[in-house]
Amino acid sequence: MIVNLLNNNHSYSIQKIKNINEWVPGKLFSITLTKDKNFFFKAGQFTRIGFEIENHDNKEKNIIWRAYSMVSSPNEGDLEFYYVIVPNGQFSKILSKLDIDQTVFVRKQSFGFLTVDQFQKSNDNLWLIATGTGISAYISILKDNKTWDYFKKIILVHSVRKTEELTYQTIINKIKEKQSIIGNILNYVPITTKENTHNILHERLPIIIENGILEKKAEEILDCKSSSVMLCGNPAMLLDVRRILIERGFATKNSDDSKNLVMENYW
Ligand SMILES: Cc1cc2nc3c(=O)[nH]c(=O)nc-3n(C[C@H](O)[C@H](O)[C@H](O)COP(=O)(O)OP(=O)(O)OC[C@H]3O[C@@H](n4cnc5c(N)ncnc54)[C@H](O)[C@@H]3O)c2cc1C
């Protein structure tokens, strides 16, 4: 009852942690939370999650917030978030100590434009290009059936430092199998920049886009007439790849308001 009253009076709801998954010890985790039945979002969007902290000087309690992309799809009953523990990060310090049943504050509003309805349905294929935890938004997008009304072929490119950070592969493979039955294609292209593993690309994204190696591996042309592109994650990657794509004719906004490039910086 108290929880319900609080939920109604604030811009956030109060949820509980149902599960914590440790992907890479001490570094990469995901949490599953209960979900407010009135929380709506589009696949690819983010919200803000918060925890109460006490001010050491005056002992007052405040809520500290950070933005996180939903990993779960809009019609799933729970909410999932995937996160990295940044050394010395204020919020990361809290995230590194979470427990099952712990309370988490979740903003009632969802935000962001990393959504398929930004594009025309006429484009042939969609490239989802992420570094690190940027894959969060794309798992939500890939799980959502609406995405596959827009695009019949999707290329998911995930660039990380080490092989162990190539997470969510079981889910990616399941989606690939499910979509192939109805004639859709999901090509998954992993990249490890700090480890050279057999059959995995080992080079920074801007380089393998410019020299054509990414297209060869993806078995698809990255062309502004047939492709739509999403970029998500590290701002330095976004800046470099955006420049290359704009040189190739991609646009975040054309004169007729259409676009074939959308992006989301994580910091
Ligand atoms: C729209 C949006 C969506 C986001 N979604 C996610 C998400 O799904 N998962 C997630 O882990 N983070 C996500 N973030 C980042 C998140 O909000 C926090 O910044 C991050 O968790 C670190 O918080 P912090 O207080 O510990 O450190 P901060 O003080 O916020 O950041 C300190 C430094 O850590 C580095 N950093 C921050 N976030 C990341 C990251 N994700 N990967 C690598 N380095 C990082 C940057 O160098 C940054 O300057 C998102 C950010 C935005 C703006």
Side-chain angles (χ1 to χ4, degrees), residues 46-47 64 66-71 81-84 86-93 95 132-134 136-137 264-267:
F46 68 93
T47 189
I64 170 175
R66 288 289 185 281
Y68 286 86
S69 301
M70 274 67 80
V71 173
F81 298 98
Y82 174 57
Y83 54 91
V84 63
V86 177
N88 303 318
Q90 190 187 15
F91 204 79
S92 292
K93 204 175 282 172
L95 291 175
T133 52
S136 312
E264 191 145 271
N265 275 318
Y266 268 11
W267 64 92

PDB file of all heavy atoms in Angstrom, residues 46-47 64 66-71 81-84 86-93 95 132-134 136-137 264-267, ligand 1:
ATOM      1  N   PHE A  46      15.503   4.582 -23.534  1.00  0.00           N
ATOM      2  CA  PHE A  46      16.121   4.467 -22.215  1.00  0.00           C
ATOM      3  C   PHE A  46      15.259   5.158 -21.176  1.00  0.00           C
ATOM      4  O   PHE A  46      14.338   5.916 -21.511  1.00  0.00           O
ATOM      5  CB  PHE A  46      17.539   5.063 -22.211  1.00  0.00           C
ATOM      6  CG  PHE A  46      17.605   6.558 -22.385  1.00  0.00           C
ATOM      7  CD1 PHE A  46      17.635   7.410 -21.286  1.00  0.00           C
ATOM      8  CD2 PHE A  46      17.640   7.133 -23.653  1.00  0.00           C
ATOM      9  CE1 PHE A  46      17.691   8.795 -21.443  1.00  0.00           C
ATOM     10  CE2 PHE A  46      17.693   8.518 -23.819  1.00  0.00           C
ATOM     11  CZ  PHE A  46      17.724   9.346 -22.709  1.00  0.00           C
ATOM     12  N   THR A  47      15.555   4.864 -19.910  1.00  0.00           N
ATOM     13  CA  THR A  47      14.916   5.609 -18.833  1.00  0.00           C
ATOM     14  C   THR A  47      16.004   5.942 -17.802  1.00  0.00           C
ATOM     15  O   THR A  47      17.192   5.698 -18.061  1.00  0.00           O
ATOM     16  CB  THR A  47      13.753   4.816 -18.195  1.00  0.00           C
ATOM     17  OG1 THR A  47      13.053   5.689 -17.293  1.00  0.00           O
ATOM     18  CG2 THR A  47      14.220   3.574 -17.443  1.00  0.00           C
ATOM     19  N   ILE A  64      20.075   9.412  -6.474  1.00  0.00           N
ATOM     20  CA  ILE A  64      21.045   9.638  -7.552  1.00  0.00           C
ATOM     21  C   ILE A  64      20.543   8.856  -8.772  1.00  0.00           C
ATOM     22  O   ILE A  64      20.129   7.708  -8.653  1.00  0.00           O
ATOM     23  CB  ILE A  64      22.469   9.236  -7.115  1.00  0.00           C
ATOM     24  CG1 ILE A  64      23.433   9.232  -8.284  1.00  0.00           C
ATOM     25  CG2 ILE A  64      22.516   7.902  -6.429  1.00  0.00           C
ATOM     26  CD1 ILE A  64      24.878   8.967  -7.891  1.00  0.00           C
ATOM     27  N   ARG A  66      20.843   7.776 -13.122  1.00  0.00           N
ATOM     28  CA  ARG A  66      21.614   7.651 -14.362  1.00  0.00           C
ATOM     29  C   ARG A  66      20.718   7.055 -15.443  1.00  0.00           C
ATOM     30  O   ARG A  66      19.769   6.320 -15.145  1.00  0.00           O
ATOM     31  CB  ARG A  66      22.833   6.734 -14.210  1.00  0.00           C
ATOM     32  CG  ARG A  66      23.985   7.276 -13.407  1.00  0.00           C
ATOM     33  CD  ARG A  66      24.747   8.396 -14.123  1.00  0.00           C
ATOM     34  NE  ARG A  66      25.911   8.818 -13.365  1.00  0.00           N
ATOM     35  CZ  ARG A  66      25.884   9.629 -12.306  1.00  0.00           C
ATOM     36  NH1 ARG A  66      24.740  10.119 -11.876  1.00  0.00           N
ATOM     37  NH2 ARG A  66      27.014   9.954 -11.679  1.00  0.00           N
ATOM     38  N   ALA A  67      21.073   7.346 -16.696  1.00  0.00           N
ATOM     39  CA  ALA A  67      20.301   6.829 -17.847  1.00  0.00           C
ATOM     40  C   ALA A  67      20.724   5.392 -18.176  1.00  0.00           C
ATOM     41  O   ALA A  67      21.921   5.099 -18.175  1.00  0.00           O
ATOM     42  CB  ALA A  67      20.563   7.718 -19.052  1.00  0.00           C
ATOM     43  N   TYR A  68      19.753   4.541 -18.435  1.00  0.00           N
ATOM     44  CA  TYR A  68      20.034   3.159 -18.880  1.00  0.00           C
ATOM     45  C   TYR A  68      19.031   2.734 -19.944  1.00  0.00           C
ATOM     46  O   TYR A  68      17.826   2.963 -19.792  1.00  0.00           O
ATOM     47  CB  TYR A  68      19.996   2.163 -17.696  1.00  0.00           C
ATOM     48  CG  TYR A  68      21.224   2.330 -16.850  1.00  0.00           C
ATOM     49  CD1 TYR A  68      21.257   3.270 -15.838  1.00  0.00           C
ATOM     50  CD2 TYR A  68      22.379   1.623 -17.142  1.00  0.00           C
ATOM     51  CE1 TYR A  68      22.409   3.500 -15.104  1.00  0.00           C
ATOM     52  CE2 TYR A  68      23.539   1.844 -16.419  1.00  0.00           C
ATOM     53  CZ  TYR A  68      23.545   2.782 -15.410  1.00  0.00           C
ATOM     54  OH  TYR A  68      24.695   3.015 -14.714  1.00  0.00           O
ATOM     55  N   SER A  69      19.527   2.102 -20.999  1.00  0.00           N
ATOM     56  CA  SER A  69      18.660   1.574 -22.057  1.00  0.00           C
ATOM     57  C   SER A  69      17.982   0.308 -21.570  1.00  0.00           C
ATOM     58  O   SER A  69      18.613  -0.522 -20.907  1.00  0.00           O
ATOM     59  CB  SER A  69      19.489   1.229 -23.290  1.00  0.00           C
ATOM     60  OG  SER A  69      20.153   2.367 -23.763  1.00  0.00           O
ATOM     61  N   MET A  70      16.731   0.141 -21.956  1.00  0.00           N
ATOM     62  CA  MET A  70      16.052  -1.102 -21.635  1.00  0.00           C
ATOM     63  C   MET A  70      16.593  -2.206 -22.542  1.00  0.00           C
ATOM     64  O   MET A  70      16.728  -2.004 -23.748  1.00  0.00           O
ATOM     65  CB  MET A  70      14.543  -0.955 -21.863  1.00  0.00           C
ATOM     66  CG  MET A  70      13.775  -0.395 -20.691  1.00  0.00           C
ATOM     67  SD  MET A  70      14.135   1.323 -20.294  1.00  0.00           S
ATOM     68  CE  MET A  70      13.173   2.215 -21.503  1.00  0.00           C
ATOM     69  N   VAL A  71      16.874  -3.356 -21.947  1.00  0.00           N
ATOM     70  CA  VAL A  71      17.278  -4.543 -22.715  1.00  0.00           C
ATOM     71  C   VAL A  71      16.030  -5.360 -23.067  1.00  0.00           C
ATOM     72  O   VAL A  71      15.942  -5.975 -24.121  1.00  0.00           O
ATOM     73  CB  VAL A  71      18.243  -5.424 -21.876  1.00  0.00           C
ATOM     74  CG1 VAL A  71      18.542  -6.738 -22.577  1.00  0.00           C
ATOM     75  CG2 VAL A  71      19.529  -4.676 -21.577  1.00  0.00           C
ATOM     76  N   PHE A  81      18.101  -4.342 -17.435  1.00  0.00           N
ATOM     77  CA  PHE A  81      19.141  -3.360 -17.777  1.00  0.00           C
ATOM     78  C   PHE A  81      20.498  -4.061 -17.745  1.00  0.00           C
ATOM     79  O   PHE A  81      20.729  -4.949 -16.910  1.00  0.00           O
ATOM     80  CB  PHE A  81      19.148  -2.197 -16.773  1.00  0.00           C
ATOM     81  CG  PHE A  81      17.862  -1.414 -16.747  1.00  0.00           C
ATOM     82  CD1 PHE A  81      16.896  -1.672 -15.781  1.00  0.00           C
ATOM     83  CD2 PHE A  81      17.603  -0.430 -17.689  1.00  0.00           C
ATOM     84  CE1 PHE A  81      15.697  -0.960 -15.753  1.00  0.00           C
ATOM     85  CE2 PHE A  81      16.413   0.289 -17.670  1.00  0.00           C
ATOM     86  CZ  PHE A  81      15.454   0.018 -16.700  1.00  0.00           C
ATOM     87  N   TYR A  82      21.377  -3.626 -18.639  1.00  0.00           N
ATOM     88  CA  TYR A  82      22.722  -4.217 -18.740  1.00  0.00           C
ATOM     89  C   TYR A  82      23.724  -3.106 -18.463  1.00  0.00           C
ATOM     90  O   TYR A  82      23.592  -2.009 -19.026  1.00  0.00           O
ATOM     91  CB  TYR A  82      22.889  -4.753 -20.169  1.00  0.00           C
ATOM     92  CG  TYR A  82      24.252  -5.269 -20.529  1.00  0.00           C
ATOM     93  CD1 TYR A  82      24.856  -6.286 -19.793  1.00  0.00           C
ATOM     94  CD2 TYR A  82      24.928  -4.773 -21.653  1.00  0.00           C
ATOM     95  CE1 TYR A  82      26.111  -6.773 -20.152  1.00  0.00           C
ATOM     96  CE2 TYR A  82      26.167  -5.268 -22.022  1.00  0.00           C
ATOM     97  CZ  TYR A  82      26.750  -6.271 -21.266  1.00  0.00           C
ATOM     98  OH  TYR A  82      27.981  -6.768 -21.631  1.00  0.00           O
ATOM     99  N   TYR A  83      24.693  -3.359 -17.597  1.00  0.00           N
ATOM    100  CA  TYR A  83      25.567  -2.239 -17.218  1.00  0.00           C
ATOM    101  C   TYR A  83      27.005  -2.665 -16.950  1.00  0.00           C
ATOM    102  O   TYR A  83      27.295  -3.798 -16.620  1.00  0.00           O
ATOM    103  CB  TYR A  83      25.014  -1.502 -15.993  1.00  0.00           C
ATOM    104  CG  TYR A  83      24.742  -2.392 -14.791  1.00  0.00           C
ATOM    105  CD1 TYR A  83      25.725  -2.620 -13.823  1.00  0.00           C
ATOM    106  CD2 TYR A  83      23.506  -3.000 -14.650  1.00  0.00           C
ATOM    107  CE1 TYR A  83      25.462  -3.433 -12.735  1.00  0.00           C
ATOM    108  CE2 TYR A  83      23.243  -3.823 -13.566  1.00  0.00           C
ATOM    109  CZ  TYR A  83      24.224  -4.035 -12.617  1.00  0.00           C
ATOM    110  OH  TYR A  83      23.968  -4.863 -11.545  1.00  0.00           O
ATOM    111  N   VAL A  84      27.850  -1.655 -17.102  1.00  0.00           N
ATOM    112  CA  VAL A  84      29.277  -1.836 -16.817  1.00  0.00           C
ATOM    113  C   VAL A  84      29.592  -1.102 -15.514  1.00  0.00           C
ATOM    114  O   VAL A  84      29.010  -0.074 -15.204  1.00  0.00           O
ATOM    115  CB  VAL A  84      30.144  -1.304 -17.986  1.00  0.00           C
ATOM    116  CG1 VAL A  84      29.964   0.198 -18.197  1.00  0.00           C
ATOM    117  CG2 VAL A  84      31.617  -1.625 -17.782  1.00  0.00           C
ATOM    118  N   VAL A  86      32.027   1.155 -13.999  1.00  0.00           N
ATOM    119  CA  VAL A  86      33.113   2.057 -14.378  1.00  0.00           C
ATOM    120  C   VAL A  86      33.973   2.312 -13.139  1.00  0.00           C
ATOM    121  O   VAL A  86      33.428   2.705 -12.100  1.00  0.00           O
ATOM    122  CB  VAL A  86      32.538   3.409 -14.883  1.00  0.00           C
ATOM    123  CG1 VAL A  86      33.642   4.385 -15.206  1.00  0.00           C
ATOM    124  CG2 VAL A  86      31.635   3.210 -16.075  1.00  0.00           C
ATOM    125  N   PRO A  87      35.309   2.093 -13.216  1.00  0.00           N
ATOM    126  CA  PRO A  87      36.141   2.353 -12.038  1.00  0.00           C
ATOM    127  C   PRO A  87      35.965   3.794 -11.551  1.00  0.00           C
ATOM    128  O   PRO A  87      35.984   4.718 -12.350  1.00  0.00           O
ATOM    129  CB  PRO A  87      37.578   2.117 -12.548  1.00  0.00           C
ATOM    130  CG  PRO A  87      37.408   1.269 -13.769  1.00  0.00           C
ATOM    131  CD  PRO A  87      36.070   1.625 -14.365  1.00  0.00           C
ATOM    132  N   ASN A  88      35.750   3.946 -10.259  1.00  0.00           N
ATOM    133  CA  ASN A  88      35.549   5.250  -9.605  1.00  0.00           C
ATOM    134  C   ASN A  88      34.273   5.981 -10.015  1.00  0.00           C
ATOM    135  O   ASN A  88      34.118   7.154  -9.694  1.00  0.00           O
ATOM    136  CB  ASN A  88      36.754   6.191  -9.826  1.00  0.00           C
ATOM    137  CG  ASN A  88      38.041   5.563  -9.340  1.00  0.00           C
ATOM    138  OD1 ASN A  88      38.061   4.938  -8.269  1.00  0.00           O
ATOM    139  ND2 ASN A  88      39.099   5.685 -10.124  1.00  0.00           N
ATOM    140  N   GLY A  89      33.373   5.323 -10.708  1.00  0.00           N
ATOM    141  CA  GLY A  89      32.106   5.958 -11.082  1.00  0.00           C
ATOM    142  C   GLY A  89      31.180   6.017  -9.871  1.00  0.00           C
ATOM    143  O   GLY A  89      31.067   5.041  -9.130  1.00  0.00           O
ATOM    144  N   GLN A  90      30.520   7.153  -9.686  1.00  0.00           N
ATOM    145  CA  GLN A  90      29.671   7.343  -8.498  1.00  0.00           C
ATOM    146  C   GLN A  90      28.504   6.350  -8.485  1.00  0.00           C
ATOM    147  O   GLN A  90      28.222   5.700  -7.481  1.00  0.00           O
ATOM    148  CB  GLN A  90      29.122   8.780  -8.490  1.00  0.00           C
ATOM    149  CG  GLN A  90      28.447   9.132  -7.170  1.00  0.00           C
ATOM    150  CD  GLN A  90      27.761  10.493  -7.212  1.00  0.00           C
ATOM    151  OE1 GLN A  90      27.542  11.064  -8.276  1.00  0.00           O
ATOM    152  NE2 GLN A  90      27.430  11.012  -6.052  1.00  0.00           N
ATOM    153  N   PHE A  91      27.844   6.216  -9.625  1.00  0.00           N
ATOM    154  CA  PHE A  91      26.697   5.310  -9.713  1.00  0.00           C
ATOM    155  C   PHE A  91      27.179   3.858  -9.764  1.00  0.00           C
ATOM    156  O   PHE A  91      26.558   2.953  -9.198  1.00  0.00           O
ATOM    157  CB  PHE A  91      25.895   5.658 -10.977  1.00  0.00           C
ATOM    158  CG  PHE A  91      24.458   5.251 -10.914  1.00  0.00           C
ATOM    159  CD1 PHE A  91      23.534   6.011 -10.205  1.00  0.00           C
ATOM    160  CD2 PHE A  91      24.007   4.121 -11.577  1.00  0.00           C
ATOM    161  CE1 PHE A  91      22.198   5.650 -10.161  1.00  0.00           C
ATOM    162  CE2 PHE A  91      22.674   3.755 -11.535  1.00  0.00           C
ATOM    163  CZ  PHE A  91      21.770   4.518 -10.822  1.00  0.00           C
ATOM    164  N   SER A  92      28.293   3.641 -10.451  1.00  0.00           N
ATOM    165  CA  SER A  92      28.849   2.281 -10.577  1.00  0.00           C
ATOM    166  C   SER A  92      29.131   1.672  -9.208  1.00  0.00           C
ATOM    167  O   SER A  92      28.973   0.471  -9.003  1.00  0.00           O
ATOM    168  CB  SER A  92      30.147   2.311 -11.383  1.00  0.00           C
ATOM    169  OG  SER A  92      29.881   2.641 -12.710  1.00  0.00           O
ATOM    170  N   LYS A  93      29.564   2.529  -8.273  1.00  0.00           N
ATOM    171  CA  LYS A  93      29.863   2.053  -6.922  1.00  0.00           C
ATOM    172  C   LYS A  93      28.614   1.402  -6.319  1.00  0.00           C
ATOM    173  O   LYS A  93      28.683   0.354  -5.684  1.00  0.00           O
ATOM    174  CB  LYS A  93      30.324   3.244  -6.055  1.00  0.00           C
ATOM    175  CG  LYS A  93      31.186   2.825  -4.891  1.00  0.00           C
ATOM    176  CD  LYS A  93      31.711   4.024  -4.125  1.00  0.00           C
ATOM    177  CE  LYS A  93      32.876   4.692  -4.831  1.00  0.00           C
ATOM    178  NZ  LYS A  93      33.265   5.954  -4.200  1.00  0.00           N
ATOM    179  N   LEU A  95      25.982   0.262  -8.121  1.00  0.00           N
ATOM    180  CA  LEU A  95      25.618  -0.893  -8.963  1.00  0.00           C
ATOM    181  C   LEU A  95      26.445  -2.136  -8.630  1.00  0.00           C
ATOM    182  O   LEU A  95      25.985  -3.262  -8.780  1.00  0.00           O
ATOM    183  CB  LEU A  95      25.816  -0.556 -10.444  1.00  0.00           C
ATOM    184  CG  LEU A  95      24.862   0.464 -11.068  1.00  0.00           C
ATOM    185  CD1 LEU A  95      25.265   0.770 -12.496  1.00  0.00           C
ATOM    186  CD2 LEU A  95      23.430  -0.038 -11.032  1.00  0.00           C
ATOM    187  N   GLY A 132      30.503  -1.893 -26.585  1.00  0.00           N
ATOM    188  CA  GLY A 132      30.249  -2.234 -25.186  1.00  0.00           C
ATOM    189  C   GLY A 132      28.789  -2.402 -24.820  1.00  0.00           C
ATOM    190  O   GLY A 132      28.024  -3.133 -25.458  1.00  0.00           O
ATOM    191  N   THR A 133      28.370  -1.664 -23.764  1.00  0.00           N
ATOM    192  CA  THR A 133      26.995  -1.795 -23.255  1.00  0.00           C
ATOM    193  C   THR A 133      25.959  -1.195 -24.203  1.00  0.00           C
ATOM    194  O   THR A 133      24.759  -1.327 -23.955  1.00  0.00           O
ATOM    195  CB  THR A 133      26.879  -1.124 -21.868  1.00  0.00           C
ATOM    196  OG1 THR A 133      27.397   0.207 -21.986  1.00  0.00           O
ATOM    197  CG2 THR A 133      27.631  -1.883 -20.805  1.00  0.00           C
ATOM    198  N   GLY A 134      26.411  -0.567 -25.278  1.00  0.00           N
ATOM    199  CA  GLY A 134      25.486  -0.037 -26.296  1.00  0.00           C
ATOM    200  C   GLY A 134      24.606  -1.122 -26.884  1.00  0.00           C
ATOM    201  O   GLY A 134      23.562  -0.840 -27.478  1.00  0.00           O
ATOM    202  N   SER A 136      22.733  -3.014 -25.305  1.00  0.00           N
ATOM    203  CA  SER A 136      21.483  -3.076 -24.518  1.00  0.00           C
ATOM    204  C   SER A 136      20.275  -2.717 -25.375  1.00  0.00           C
ATOM    205  O   SER A 136      19.305  -3.469 -25.465  1.00  0.00           O
ATOM    206  CB  SER A 136      21.515  -2.094 -23.343  1.00  0.00           C
ATOM    207  OG  SER A 136      22.685  -2.170 -22.622  1.00  0.00           O
ATOM    208  N   ALA A 137      20.346  -1.533 -25.973  1.00  0.00           N
ATOM    209  CA  ALA A 137      19.207  -1.022 -26.749  1.00  0.00           C
ATOM    210  C   ALA A 137      18.892  -1.949 -27.921  1.00  0.00           C
ATOM    211  O   ALA A 137      17.724  -2.133 -28.279  1.00  0.00           O
ATOM    212  CB  ALA A 137      19.543   0.375 -27.263  1.00  0.00           C
ATOM    213  N   GLU A 264      23.066   7.329 -30.424  1.00  0.00           N
ATOM    214  CA  GLU A 264      22.920   7.621 -28.994  1.00  0.00           C
ATOM    215  C   GLU A 264      24.262   7.491 -28.280  1.00  0.00           C
ATOM    216  O   GLU A 264      24.852   6.408 -28.228  1.00  0.00           O
ATOM    217  CB  GLU A 264      21.935   6.656 -28.360  1.00  0.00           C
ATOM    218  CG  GLU A 264      21.554   7.096 -26.967  1.00  0.00           C
ATOM    219  CD  GLU A 264      20.111   6.747 -26.709  1.00  0.00           C
ATOM    220  OE1 GLU A 264      19.245   7.578 -27.016  1.00  0.00           O
ATOM    221  OE2 GLU A 264      19.886   5.626 -26.261  1.00  0.00           O
ATOM    222  N   ASN A 265      24.726   8.619 -27.739  1.00  0.00           N
ATOM    223  CA  ASN A 265      25.951   8.650 -26.924  1.00  0.00           C
ATOM    224  C   ASN A 265      25.649   8.147 -25.525  1.00  0.00           C
ATOM    225  O   ASN A 265      24.658   8.556 -24.936  1.00  0.00           O
ATOM    226  CB  ASN A 265      26.423  10.105 -26.761  1.00  0.00           C
ATOM    227  CG  ASN A 265      27.275  10.574 -27.912  1.00  0.00           C
ATOM    228  OD1 ASN A 265      28.135   9.838 -28.396  1.00  0.00           O
ATOM    229  ND2 ASN A 265      27.049  11.792 -28.348  1.00  0.00           N
ATOM    230  N   TYR A 266      26.522   7.326 -24.958  1.00  0.00           N
ATOM    231  CA  TYR A 266      26.311   6.858 -23.582  1.00  0.00           C
ATOM    232  C   TYR A 266      27.015   7.735 -22.538  1.00  0.00           C
ATOM    233  O   TYR A 266      26.802   7.595 -21.347  1.00  0.00           O
ATOM    234  CB  TYR A 266      26.758   5.405 -23.449  1.00  0.00           C
ATOM    235  CG  TYR A 266      25.626   4.401 -23.697  1.00  0.00           C
ATOM    236  CD1 TYR A 266      24.400   4.805 -24.220  1.00  0.00           C
ATOM    237  CD2 TYR A 266      25.786   3.061 -23.397  1.00  0.00           C
ATOM    238  CE1 TYR A 266      23.381   3.910 -24.440  1.00  0.00           C
ATOM    239  CE2 TYR A 266      24.766   2.149 -23.617  1.00  0.00           C
ATOM    240  CZ  TYR A 266      23.561   2.579 -24.138  1.00  0.00           C
ATOM    241  OH  TYR A 266      22.556   1.679 -24.347  1.00  0.00           O
ATOM    242  N   TRP A 267      27.888   8.609 -22.997  1.00  0.00           N
ATOM    243  CA  TRP A 267      28.462   9.588 -22.052  1.00  0.00           C
ATOM    244  C   TRP A 267      29.028  10.767 -22.793  1.00  0.00           C
ATOM    245  O   TRP A 267      29.038  10.770 -24.016  1.00  0.00           O
ATOM    246  CB  TRP A 267      29.548   8.966 -21.131  1.00  0.00           C
ATOM    247  CG  TRP A 267      30.784   8.472 -21.785  1.00  0.00           C
ATOM    248  CD1 TRP A 267      31.950   9.162 -21.997  1.00  0.00           C
ATOM    249  CD2 TRP A 267      31.013   7.147 -22.293  1.00  0.00           C
ATOM    250  NE1 TRP A 267      32.866   8.357 -22.608  1.00  0.00           N
ATOM    251  CE2 TRP A 267      32.323   7.110 -22.802  1.00  0.00           C
ATOM    252  CE3 TRP A 267      30.250   5.990 -22.381  1.00  0.00           C
ATOM    253  CZ2 TRP A 267      32.886   5.973 -23.401  1.00  0.00           C
ATOM    254  CZ3 TRP A 267      30.803   4.873 -22.963  1.00  0.00           C
ATOM    255  CH2 TRP A 267      32.096   4.864 -23.466  1.00  0.00           C
TER     256      TRP A 267
HETATM  257  C1  LIG B   1      21.051   7.659 -23.104  1.00  0.00           C
HETATM  258  C2  LIG B   1      22.005   6.862 -22.234  1.00  0.00           C
HETATM  259  C3  LIG B   1      21.824   5.490 -22.081  1.00  0.00           C
HETATM  260  C4  LIG B   1      22.726   4.750 -21.294  1.00  0.00           C
HETATM  261  N1  LIG B   1      22.560   3.410 -21.191  1.00  0.00           N
HETATM  262  C5  LIG B   1      23.481   2.681 -20.505  1.00  0.00           C
HETATM  263  C6  LIG B   1      23.370   1.260 -20.438  1.00  0.00           C
HETATM  264  O1  LIG B   1      22.424   0.657 -20.965  1.00  0.00           O
HETATM  265  N2  LIG B   1      24.334   0.579 -19.757  1.00  0.00           N
HETATM  266  C7  LIG B   1      25.399   1.236 -19.148  1.00  0.00           C
HETATM  267  O2  LIG B   1      26.252   0.572 -18.546  1.00  0.00           O
HETATM  268  N3  LIG B   1      25.504   2.571 -19.194  1.00  0.00           N
HETATM  269  C8  LIG B   1      24.577   3.304 -19.842  1.00  0.00           C
HETATM  270  N4  LIG B   1      24.692   4.660 -19.864  1.00  0.00           N
HETATM  271  C9  LIG B   1      25.746   5.290 -19.040  1.00  0.00           C
HETATM  272  C10 LIG B   1      25.233   5.426 -17.590  1.00  0.00           C
HETATM  273  O3  LIG B   1      24.190   6.385 -17.552  1.00  0.00           O
HETATM  274  C11 LIG B   1      26.335   5.860 -16.603  1.00  0.00           C
HETATM  275  O4  LIG B   1      27.023   6.957 -17.099  1.00  0.00           O
HETATM  276  C12 LIG B   1      27.341   4.776 -16.325  1.00  0.00           C
HETATM  277  O5  LIG B   1      26.721   3.647 -15.751  1.00  0.00           O
HETATM  278  C13 LIG B   1      28.425   5.193 -15.348  1.00  0.00           C
HETATM  279  O6  LIG B   1      27.889   5.917 -14.253  1.00  0.00           O
HETATM  280  P1  LIG B   1      28.883   6.392 -13.094  1.00  0.00           P
HETATM  281  O7  LIG B   1      28.199   7.365 -12.201  1.00  0.00           O
HETATM  282  O8  LIG B   1      29.463   5.187 -12.427  1.00  0.00           O
HETATM  283  O9  LIG B   1      30.015   7.144 -13.872  1.00  0.00           O
HETATM  284  P2  LIG B   1      29.845   8.517 -14.688  1.00  0.00           P
HETATM  285  O10 LIG B   1      30.412   9.613 -13.855  1.00  0.00           O
HETATM  286  O11 LIG B   1      28.456   8.676 -15.226  1.00  0.00           O
HETATM  287  O12 LIG B   1      30.800   8.209 -15.924  1.00  0.00           O
HETATM  288  C14 LIG B   1      32.222   8.231 -15.742  1.00  0.00           C
HETATM  289  C15 LIG B   1      32.907   7.802 -17.019  1.00  0.00           C
HETATM  290  O13 LIG B   1      32.681   6.423 -17.221  1.00  0.00           O
HETATM  291  C16 LIG B   1      32.701   6.110 -18.608  1.00  0.00           C
HETATM  292  N5  LIG B   1      31.417   5.447 -18.945  1.00  0.00           N
HETATM  293  C17 LIG B   1      30.155   5.817 -18.619  1.00  0.00           C
HETATM  294  N6  LIG B   1      29.255   4.936 -19.084  1.00  0.00           N
HETATM  295  C18 LIG B   1      29.949   3.967 -19.716  1.00  0.00           C
HETATM  296  C19 LIG B   1      29.573   2.790 -20.408  1.00  0.00           C
HETATM  297  N7  LIG B   1      28.279   2.414 -20.530  1.00  0.00           N
HETATM  298  N8  LIG B   1      30.554   2.022 -20.950  1.00  0.00           N
HETATM  299  C20 LIG B   1      31.857   2.385 -20.821  1.00  0.00           C
HETATM  300  N9  LIG B   1      32.267   3.500 -20.187  1.00  0.00           N
HETATM  301  C21 LIG B   1      31.336   4.278 -19.636  1.00  0.00           C
HETATM  302  C22 LIG B   1      32.887   7.447 -19.332  1.00  0.00           C
HETATM  303  O14 LIG B   1      34.257   7.633 -19.621  1.00  0.00           O
HETATM  304  C23 LIG B   1      32.419   8.447 -18.327  1.00  0.00           C
HETATM  305  O15 LIG B   1      32.971   9.704 -18.527  1.00  0.00           O
HETATM  306  C24 LIG B   1      23.804   5.416 -20.636  1.00  0.00           C
HETATM  307  C25 LIG B   1      23.947   6.795 -20.764  1.00  0.00           C
HETATM  308  C26 LIG B   1      23.070   7.522 -21.563  1.00  0.00           C
HETATM  309  C27 LIG B   1      23.274   9.012 -21.703  1.00  0.00           C
END
